[in-house]
């Protein structure tokens, strides 16, 4: 009798489990994604694949001129917004041309100033395009009603462009970021205390230990960033908010009010700094163990023998380096005993050596994980840097723009990379010497492998952590309890200036009263004394 009861109990439990499991997969969430183009999309796509395999359905907002975000994949559906202008090669190439021109000329204060102006202009236009896209969405009542009817669980966006932030507000949905950059700079700066004495501003090229002069520079960079946001970027978004949500809605509040910040760094890479409870670190979430290489590539890699292989890639944004520069690079590669795999589009350099293989595309992660790879020559994008850390491959960096120099600097500071500049890369064998320097000095590899061990030694993998927290926001309809409301305070309350002023005033009042009393006492006393005399 007892046994039968047990059996029946077990069957019942099994049934319950089955129901529970199917219920769980049936109740996958609905996620609306507003991504960025280029390399940012490359890592967002990896997250979307993971969300899809967890049983969530994903819709992706893109423009009708999308550069990287394509239609017709099983792991997401697209919502296409028609726009007159979009961010793509036509936008990036002229900027790159100008950067090459400016950086390779005489270096001076004017070089710096004209580069800054060029970047201001680019930033202004990027956000103008984004705002136009947002407005075209908000004006399309049909689209907005359809989005509302879909009843999404949350919006996941990359807040370097602000369209997703405003869309989440329009649809009244919880907001999660896949973030390193926000519209106004580095992500932490918007929500966590960020003393400029040890937190280097992006673009300053400074580390977390700064001399007086460097701290001065850091402050200047802070003002540059503030000015860029205050004059060029925030007003554009605020104008959209004014038009569609009313002027009491401040874009800055929407930006800072996100429920969760999935931050694409970890502290193996980033300098230590204050953070917030709703910041979850998922740096390197896109990294995975290497798969075997395609046969021809494996053959090429094996043919390198004991010398090993160097790989070079300048990332998704750069189609072409100037021809004289590629020639110089090819000449340098030809002098090395190593084999080289070079991701290069455009004309084939004349001085290309037999040891160098040009490719349109390469399985970067699988190559980096291959034991024969000795060195990674790269531009310093976040994705590539994280992959290099994950696989422990030392780096020679040739930064072009945005955050690339700063990313490489973090590796250099830890003795895992050397940095080249566009101005000197093709002069006096600099390229060759730098590469040989990293290859022949074992400390670079050892330091990088130490970073790799530190990065991998975590209780939960970054991607799993990110997925957990996205589902957490779905389950609890936001994560407001993790968010400080400090951003709603005016600056004088934030820094307690009002309290200090009050205290100082009160103290002054007491002091004056006491002084007056003493003076009164003194005068009555001296009067009394005079009377007695
Ligand atoms: C995208 O939509 C805009 C506005 O409707 C239109 O002018 C443009 O030709 C479209 N572009 C493409 C590539 O479909």
């Amino acid at each position: 009798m007892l046994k039968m009861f047990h059996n029946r109990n077990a069957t019942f439990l099994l049934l319950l489990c089955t129901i529970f499991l199917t219920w769980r997969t049936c109740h996958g969430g609905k996620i609306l994604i507003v991504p960025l183009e280029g390399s940012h999309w490359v890592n967002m796509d990896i997250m979307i694949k993971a969300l899809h395999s967890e049983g969530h359905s994903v819709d992706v907002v893109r423009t009708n001129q999308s550069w990287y975000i394509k239609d017709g994949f099983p792991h997401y559906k697209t919502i296409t917004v028609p726009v007159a202008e979009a961010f793509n090669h036509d936008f990036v190439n002229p900027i790159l041309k100008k950067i090459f021109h400016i950086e390779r000329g005489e270096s001076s204060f004017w070089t710096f100033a004209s580069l800054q102006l060029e970047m201001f202009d680019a930033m202004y236009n990027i956000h103008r395009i984004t705002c136009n896209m947002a407005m075209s969405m908000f004006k399309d009542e049909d689209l907005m009603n359809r989005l509302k009817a879909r009843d999404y669980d949350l919006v996941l966006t990359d807040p370097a462009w602000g369209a997703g932030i405003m869309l989440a507000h329009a649809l009244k949905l919880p907001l999660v970021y896949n973030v390193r950059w926000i519209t106004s700079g580095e992500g932490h700066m918007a929500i966590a205390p960020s003393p400029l004495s040890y937190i280097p501003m992006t673009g300053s090229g400074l580390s977390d230990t700064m001399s007086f002069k460097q701290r001065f520079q850091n402050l200047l960079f802070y003002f540059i960033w503030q000015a860029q946001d205050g004059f060029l970027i925030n007003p554009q978004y605020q104008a959209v908010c004014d038009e569609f949500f009313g002027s009491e809605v401040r874009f800055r509040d929407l930006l800072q009010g996100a429920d969760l910040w999935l931050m694409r760094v970890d502290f193996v890479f980033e300098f230590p700094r204050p953070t917030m409870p709703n910041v979850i670190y998922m740096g390197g979430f896109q990294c995975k163990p290497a798969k075997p290489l395609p046969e021809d590539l494996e053959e090429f890699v094996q043919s390198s023998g004991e010398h090993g292989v160097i790989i070079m890639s300048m990332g998704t944004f750069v189609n072409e380096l100037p021809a004289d520069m590629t020639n110089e690079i090819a000449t340098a590669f030809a002098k090395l005993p190593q084999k080289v795999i070079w991701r290069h589009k455009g004309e084939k350099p004349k001085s290309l050596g037999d040891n160098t293989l040009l490719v349109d595309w390469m399985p970067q992660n699988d190559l980096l994980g291959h034991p024969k790879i000795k060195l990674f020559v790269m531009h310093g994008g976040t994705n590539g840097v994280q992959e290099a850390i994950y696989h422990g491959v030392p780096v020679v960096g040739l930064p072009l723009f945005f955050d690339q120099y700063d990313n490489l600097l973090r590796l250099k500071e830890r003795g895992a990379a050397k940095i080249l500049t566009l101005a000197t890369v093709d002069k006096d064998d600099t390229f060759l010497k730098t590469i040989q320097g990293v290859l022949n000095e074992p400390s670079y590899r050892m330091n990088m492998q130490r970073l790799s061990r530190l990065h991998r030694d975590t209780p939960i993998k970054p991607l799993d952590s990110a997925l957990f927290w996205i589902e957490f926001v779905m389950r609890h309809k936001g994560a407001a309890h993790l968010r400080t409301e400090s951003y709603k305070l005016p600056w004088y309350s934030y820094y307690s200036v009002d309290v200090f002023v009050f205290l100082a005033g009160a103290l002054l009042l007491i002091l004056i009263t006491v002084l007056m009393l003493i003076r009164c006492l003194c005068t009555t006393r001296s009067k009394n004394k005079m009377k007695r005399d």
Side-chain angles (χ1 to χ4, degrees):
M1 178 67 198
L2 205 67
K3 204 174 163 203
M4 216 174 98
F5 177 75
H6 259 153
N7 268 345
R8 222 192 283 160
N9 216 358
T11 324
F12 178 68
L13 264 180
L14 201 73
L15 198 72
L16 209 71
C17 277
T18 327
I19 290 172
F20 179 71
L21 281 175
T22 37
W23 178 80
R24 247 193 69 118
T25 42
C26 288
H27 281 245
K30 282 180 276 183
I31 301 171
L32 181 61
I33 300 211
V34 188
L36 227 81
E37 281 290 349
S39 53
H40 290 241
W41 167 252
V42 173
N43 83 50
M44 186 66 105
D45 192 36
I46 290 169
M47 180 154 291
I48 295 173
K49 281 192 181 118
L51 286 167
H52 175 77
S53 64
E54 290 288 298
H56 303 298
S57 73
V58 176
D59 292 351
V60 175
V61 177
R62 58 164 204 162
T63 70
N64 67 339
Q65 315 192 17
S66 221
W67 183 17
Y68 268 71
I69 307 161
K70 300 289 177 235
D71 209 359
F73 287 104
H75 59 292
Y76 63 86
K77 288 198 190 67
T78 54
I79 296 163
T80 306
V81 183
V83 289
E85 210 184 346
F87 181 81
N88 53 25
H89 267 153
D90 301 335
F91 185 91
V92 177
N93 282 350
I95 299 175
L96 268 176
K97 272 224 175 78
K98 278 188 203 149
I99 289 179
F100 285 129
H101 179 73
I102 296 169
E103 289 234 354
R104 300 180 80 200
E106 288 287 302
S107 145
S108 70
F109 172 75
W110 296 114
T111 329
F112 172 78
S114 53
L115 261 180
Q116 270 305 329
L117 283 179
E118 205 52 55
M119 288 323 283
F120 281 157
D121 188 48
M123 283 293 166
Y124 179 82
N125 284 317
I126 287 173
H127 294 292
R128 183 175 52 76
I129 290 171
T130 310
C131 284
N132 284 341
M133 177 203 169
M135 286 198 282
S136 130
M137 271 194 295
F138 297 152
K139 276 181 191 151
D140 187 344
E141 274 179 31
D142 235 30
L143 172 74
M144 293 306 285
N145 285 336
R146 260 190 294 134
L147 290 177
K148 275 182 196 137
R150 268 291 268 156
D151 201 16
Y152 292 103
D153 290 295
L154 59 85
V155 170
L156 173 62
T157 191
D158 189 325
W161 297 354
I165 299 167
M166 295 191 286
L167 185 59
H169 178 76
L171 300 173
K172 300 189 177 56
L173 290 173
L175 180 59
V176 177
Y177 290 157
N178 169 1
V179 54
R180 172 111 196 273
W181 308 104
I182 52 173
T183 51
S184 55
E186 204 269 341
H188 287 100
M189 304 294 290
I191 50 166
S194 306
L196 293 174
S197 51
Y198 64 94
I199 296 175
M201 293 300 297
T202 309
S204 66
L206 298 167
S207 76
D208 61 346
T209 40
M210 291 178 251
S211 63
F212 177 81
K213 186 174 154 234
Q214 288 172 324
R215 280 184 287 124
F216 186 82
Q217 283 175 348
N218 203 33
L219 194 67
L220 285 186
F221 268 90
Y222 175 75
F223 288 135
I224 292 178
W225 277 102
Q226 289 298 97
Q228 174 173 289
D229 186 45
F231 292 112
L232 300 178
I233 298 174
N234 193 59
Q236 301 196 61
Y237 288 103
Q238 190 56 50
V240 180
C241 288
D242 288 349
E243 187 177 342
F244 294 95
F245 311 140
S247 58
E248 70 284 359
V249 176
R250 293 199 318 154
F251 176 72
R252 280 209 183 99
D253 292 352
L254 301 184
L255 174 89
Q256 292 170 317
D259 291 276
L260 204 70
W261 298 59
L262 302 171
M263 192 70 74
R264 291 195 301 267
V265 296
D266 65 0
F267 289 111
V268 173
F269 167 77
E270 185 55 281
F271 299 123
R273 57 157 300 136
T275 176
M276 280 290 170
N278 61 341
V279 178
I280 307 297
Y281 293 92
M282 58 161 193
F285 76 91
Q286 75 276 29
C287 304
K288 45 185 182 289
K291 292 192 297 285
L293 297 174
E295 221 170 281
D296 49 340
L297 211 54
E298 176 68 30
E299 207 171 289
F300 181 80
V301 169
Q302 288 303 342
S303 72
S304 66
E306 63 181 59
H307 294 297
V309 177
I310 297 169
I311 60 176
M312 170 158 175
S313 167
M314 295 300 283
T316 42
F317 283 138
V318 184
N319 252 0
E320 286 173 51
L321 297 173
D324 53 330
M325 195 184 282
T326 52
N327 263 324
E328 192 63 33
I329 291 173
T331 313
F333 278 147
K335 289 180 189 158
L336 290 166
Q338 280 79 17
K339 293 271 162 117
V340 181
I341 302 172
W342 184 1
R343 181 182 165 189
H344 175 74
K345 287 181 183 167
E347 220 173 290
K348 185 176 155 183
K350 284 185 211 74
S351 51
L352 198 70
D354 292 335
N355 65 340
T356 307
L357 178 70
L358 288 188
V359 291
D360 258 3
W361 177 86
M362 62 187 181
Q364 189 170 296
N365 185 61
D366 304 333
L367 277 167
L368 284 170
H370 196 289
K372 284 252 188 256
I373 305 301
K374 299 290 180 225
L375 178 72
F376 186 18
V377 183
M378 68 175 309
H379 63 308
T382 316
N383 289 338
V385 166
Q386 288 286 358
E387 283 176 6
I389 292 177
Y390 180 83
H391 293 293
V393 177
V395 161
V396 166
L398 178 55
L400 303 175
F401 54 9
F402 299 138
D403 54 332
Q404 297 167 356
Y405 183 85
D406 296 85
N407 292 339
L408 292 165
L409 182 73
R410 279 149 181 74
L411 295 183
K412 186 184 161 200
E413 282 290 314
R414 286 147 182 131
K418 277 194 180 212
I419 305 180
L420 290 161
T421 62
L422 287 177
T424 58
V425 62
D426 51 356
K427 296 198 178 86
D428 312 324
D429 282 341
T430 312
F431 188 75
L432 182 65
K433 281 181 201 151
T434 310
I435 285 188
Q436 284 171 333
V438 175
L439 283 172
N440 299 337
E441 170 55 58
S443 71
Y444 287 98
R445 192 169 187 84
M446 272 151 54
N447 287 330
M448 199 55 150
Q449 299 211 315
R450 191 177 58 86
L451 295 184
S452 174
R453 286 193 300 276
L454 288 173
H455 171 71
R456 288 168 182 238
D457 197 0
T458 52
I460 170 167
K461 290 204 182 85
L463 182 57
D464 293 336
S465 171
L467 290 175
F468 170 85
W469 283 102
I470 290 172
E471 286 170 357
F472 179 94
V473 170
M474 286 186 197
R475 282 195 294 272
H476 302 285
K477 315 225 172 303
H481 68 294
L482 295 177
R483 176 181 67 206
T484 72
E485 304 284 298
S486 63
Y487 61 87
K488 291 180 181 160
L489 299 172
W491 67 269
Y492 51 84
S493 307
Y494 183 94
Y495 291 108
S496 300
V497 174
D498 44 0
V499 178
F500 281 123
V501 168
F502 173 77
L503 272 181
L507 220 62
L508 206 68
L509 209 68
I510 292 170
L511 211 67
I512 291 173
T513 320
V514 170
L515 281 179
M516 297 267 277
L517 270 177
I518 291 174
R519 221 177 116 186
C520 269
L521 274 175
C522 286
T523 41
T524 38
R525 243 210 213 152
S526 55
K527 262 188 204 155
N528 282 349
K529 210 174 169 198
M530 261 179 12
K531 259 190 208 161
R532 257 188 274 137
D533 288 346

